[in-house]
Each structure stands twice: as structure tokens, then as C-alpha cells.
Amino acid sequence: MHQAPAPSKAARRQHDREILSLAVPAFGALVAEPLFLMADSAIVGHLGTPQLAGLAIASTLLSTAVSVFVFLAYATTAAVARRVGAGDLRSAIRQGVDGIWLALLLGAAVVALTLPGAPWLVDVFGASDTAADYAVTYLRISSLGIPAMLMVLAATGVLRGLQDTRTPLYVAIAGFAVNGALNVGLVYGAGLGIAGSAWGTVIAQYGMAAAYLFVVVRGARRHGASLRPDAAGIRASAQAGAPLLIRTLSLRAVLMIATAVAARLGDVEVAAHQIVLSLWNLMAFALDAIAIAGQAIIGRYLGADDADGARQVCRRMVQWGVVSGVVLGLLLVLTRPLFIPLFTDDSAVRDALLPVLVVVALSQPVSGVVFVLDGVLMGAGDGPYLAWAMLLTLVVFAPAALLVPALGGGLTALWGAMTLMMTVRLATLWLRARSGRWIVTGATR
């Protein structure tokens, strides 16, 4: 990393306040989203096992479809934050509006594919005859909410770029509460079964989208930004997001390969893998919250032509990443007697878990720095580099993971390959951060 003047204690405290003020609400909003699925599962689970199995398949397909488009939030955050740093709130909001229009168009396209393709998608996932009909029903109805889900992603990016992570937290909490109430009322009160759960989620998602649109439209009117679709602006948003789409798809491929390899190792191993992956994802929420703060803050500093400030806050966030990773690793090891019984009573699964948890705990400081630098480079709009770096990581990880069963390795070896994957990411991101090539100042990159 090119050296910047060492920040004073006052500057470090200011950076810490900024990071915390953005990261803490962002963490709350990130955690709220999985609670949607947990609430649906708890309510639908009482209808019967086939219904719950159908929900599991359909929700996996939906979450995969939506997560692929997370670039709508990331790219919009960086673009809006740059313009905020440059003091041009009008064009910042205009950029955000373009991102929302892109989300609406992409959402409509996904719905057009999902409605007729739902039976085929469910069949590909290997749904049983008893669960397939429920999965198709839930998938078709819930897919109607995808445009709203994608608009929520883009609008979240707008607010993060405007240095506001509190509003997304409030909207997420309200959406979770409304979703739960609607599901209970429609599933049991109206007797709609699994269809009622799907409709409840769709209504809640559109309610969240409406709340975001209200905030964005109010900001647009205040600063005189147009709300009309602009072909050039939408195209620019798509071009900025394309490299991040490649990055996300590569990361999803890593996780899919890991799960496929775990399945080949045996039932005990894949069960333990699923538990570890759930814990890994939970810790990722905490680290991703710091990354989100990085996207917003770095974009603002670069937009304000403050390269030294960007370097200083990058260094401070790396320190935050290391400390957060150490804390999470220690918590994982120290609390394992408390959470392992919550997941399984199978002694074989527990025995398989213990060495893997140690590997994951030791790798958390690496993960902390990876998430932070990922957020820094996203905030800088350095998407093409992130795409190539993640593709390289996939190329290294895939053969390492696939060799695990061939060489007689177990789950610990597989998570050793996952640690290798994070180490390769660390190397590629650290080299880029040190080069300083990500530092491009101005309202646009």
C-alpha cells in the first residue's frame, strides 16, 4: 500500500466513528434478511414435511437468483458515494435512480424466465414427488417479488452511498415483522398453506421496495434529480456491475464445489459441512458489515479527491478486519460447547466438526482482511480487477478441493482448501491495495 501520512489519534478516532456508524446498522440489516427465511421455515414447517421440503428447494433457488444480482447494491454504493464526495448530490441520486431502473428491468426478465421454468428448475434440484408441487407453487408466487427484491438491493446501495445504513436497518426490521404477521395470517388464518407464505413474502418485499422508493424519490425531488429512465445511465450501471457479477458467480461456484465435494465424502461429512458453512456465513455477515462501510467511505474520499484520506481509512479498516477476525475466531472456539448441541446430537457429526472449527477459527483474521479489502476495492470501483482476482481464486481452489476425496482427505482437508481459497484472495487483494492502482479520484472512475 502506498504510504500516506500517519493519521493522528484524532483522525483514527474519526475513522473509527465513521466505520462503526455505518457497519453496525449494516450488520443488523444483513442479519435481518436470513430471518425472512427462518420465519417462513418455522411457519411452513408446521404444515408438514413435504411442504417444508418444497420451501427449502424453492427458497434456495430464489436466494441464489437474488444473490447473483448483489452487484446492484455494490456498484451503486460506489458510484453514489463518489458523487457524494464530489459534493454533487443531484448526480449521486440520479446515478442511484439508474441503478433502480436496471434492477426493475433485470427483475422483470428473471420473472419471465422463472414462471414457465419453475417445474424444470425444481426437477433439476431433485425434488421428491411429494415436495415438487409445493416447491413449484412457492417458487412461482415468490418469483413475482423478485423485481421488488432487486429494487431493494439497488436502493440499499443508494442509501449506503449517501452514508446512510440506518434506514436500510429500519426497513429490514419492519419488513421482517410484516412478513411474519402476513405469513401467519395467510397460511393459517386464510388457510392458503404454502401459497400463503409465498404471498406474504411477496407483499412484504414490495412494501420494503415502496419504503425505499419513497426515500429515494423524496431525495430526488429535494435535489432536482430526474426520476425518468435514462438509457445511457442504465447502460453505465450495467457495465459497472458486470465485473462484480463475474466475481459473485465465481464465489458461488467455490461454495457449490465445496458442498459437492463434502457430499462425496459421506453423510456425516456433508452434515458437518453444512453446520460449518452456516457458521462461516454468520461470521461473514459481521465482516461484510465492515466491508460495506468501506465501500461507502472509500468512494466518498475518492470522490472528494482525497487520496491520502482513502489510504489512511483503508489502513484503519484493515486493522479492524484483523481484530474482528481474531475476535470471531476466539468466539467460535470458546462457544463451541454451547452451539454444537443446537445443531446436532450425532456424536459422529460432532467429532467431524471439532477439527474443522479450529481450521475455520484460525483463518478468520485472513477472512477479516479479505472482506475489508474487497469492500475497499468495490468502493473504489475497481470491479474488473476483483473479477479477475476471483476467477484466479476459483482456478486455484477447484482442483485443490476436487483432489480431497481422490487423495483420501476428509472434511478438515476440504476446509483446508477453503482456507487456501481465502489466502489466495488475500494475496491478490493485498497486492492490489499495495500497488495504489485502485486510487482513482474524481466524481467518476
Side-chain angles (χ1 to χ4, degrees), residues 24-309:
V24 172
F27 174 70
L30 288 169
V31 170
E33 188 62 29
L35 292 178
F36 270 78
L37 177 58
M38 289 178 62
D40 287 1
S41 299
I43 294 166
V44 172
H46 291 288
L47 294 174
T49 300
Q51 289 91 331
L52 185 58
L55 171 66
I57 292 167
S59 61
T60 299
L61 287 165
L62 282 167
S63 62
T64 299
V66 173
S67 66
V68 163
F69 296 108
V70 73
F71 71 83
L72 289 165
Y74 294 159
T76 305
T77 297
V80 171
R82 274 186 176 271
R83 288 160 175 78
V84 168
D88 190 352
L89 288 175
R90 179 178 178 179
S91 66
I93 295 174
R94 175 65 248 186
Q95 181 73 32
V97 170
D98 291 334
I100 292 172
W101 277 111
L102 175 62
L104 185 60
L105 292 173
L106 290 173
V110 174
V111 173
L113 293 172
T114 305
L115 286 176
W120 177 80
L121 290 168
V122 168
D123 185 59
V124 167
F125 255 64
S128 67
D129 292 339
T130 54
D133 287 344
Y134 294 115
V136 170
T137 296
Y138 190 92
L139 181 58
R140 277 183 166 157
I141 296 171
S142 292
S143 69
L144 299 175
I146 288 177
M149 296 180 199
L150 299 191
M151 284 193 291
V152 164
L153 283 177
T156 300
V158 177
L159 296 183
R160 288 173 181 169
L162 293 170
Q163 318 296 296
D164 176 10
T165 57
R166 291 181 181 274
T167 299
L169 172 61
Y170 300 148
V171 174
I173 292 171
F176 171 70
V178 170
N179 179 65
L182 284 172
N183 277 6
V184 171
L186 293 174
V187 171
Y188 298 113
L192 296 179
I194 195 170
S197 176
W199 281 117
T201 300
V202 168
I203 294 168
Q205 291 288 354
Y206 275 100
M208 292 172 67
Y212 276 117
L213 289 176
F214 173 79
V215 174
V216 173
V217 168
R218 185 178 61 183
R221 288 177 174 168
R222 181 184 303 131
H223 297 287
S226 173
L227 294 169
R228 294 178 180 177
D230 175 66
I234 294 171
R235 188 163 53 250
S237 294
Q239 288 171 347
L244 296 181
L245 174 61
I246 294 170
R247 167 203 167 274
T248 301
L249 289 173
S250 300
L251 182 56
R252 296 292 300 188
V254 164
L255 299 178
M256 289 174 65
I257 290 170
T259 300
V261 170
R264 291 175 62 187
L265 296 175
D267 290 348
V268 168
E269 287 77 8
V270 76
H273 173 77
Q274 189 58 39
I275 294 170
V276 176
L277 191 60
S278 298
L279 294 166
W280 192 74
N281 285 331
L282 179 62
M283 291 185 291
F285 285 134
L287 298 175
D288 202 27
I290 303 173
I292 287 168
Q295 292 171 31
I297 297 170
I298 290 293
R300 194 188 77 231
Y301 272 100
L302 294 178
D305 293 323
D306 188 352
D308 284 343

Side-chain angles (χ1 to χ4, degrees), residues 374-394:
D374 209 35
V376 166
L377 298 185
M378 282 185 191
D382 204 10
Y385 182 83
L386 289 171
W388 284 111
M390 197 62 224
L391 281 171
L392 173 62
T393 301
L394 175 60

Side-chain angles (χ1 to χ4, degrees), residues 1 16 19 283 286-288 290-291 313-331 360-373 426 430:
M1 221 175 297
D16 291 345
I19 294 166
M283 291 185 291
L287 298 175
D288 202 27
I290 303 173
V313 78
C314 174
R315 183 187 300 122
R316 190 59 175 167
M317 280 189 291
V318 166
Q319 293 168 355
W320 270 84
V322 172
V323 171
S324 299
V326 170
V327 170
L328 288 171
L330 288 173
L331 283 174
V360 173
L362 290 173
S363 70
Q364 284 309 294
V366 172
S367 297
V369 179
V370 167
F371 273 81
V372 164
L373 292 179
L426 174 64
W430 185 260

Side-chain angles (χ1 to χ4, degrees), residues 1-2 82 302 311 377 380-382 385 431-441 445:
M1 221 175 297
H2 285 187
R82 274 186 176 271
L302 294 178
R311 289 191 186 96
L377 298 185
D382 204 10
Y385 182 83
L431 286 172
R432 186 64 166 182
R434 282 187 63 84
S435 74
R437 293 178 184 173
W438 56 277
I439 299 177
V440 179
T441 58
R445 183 177 174 89

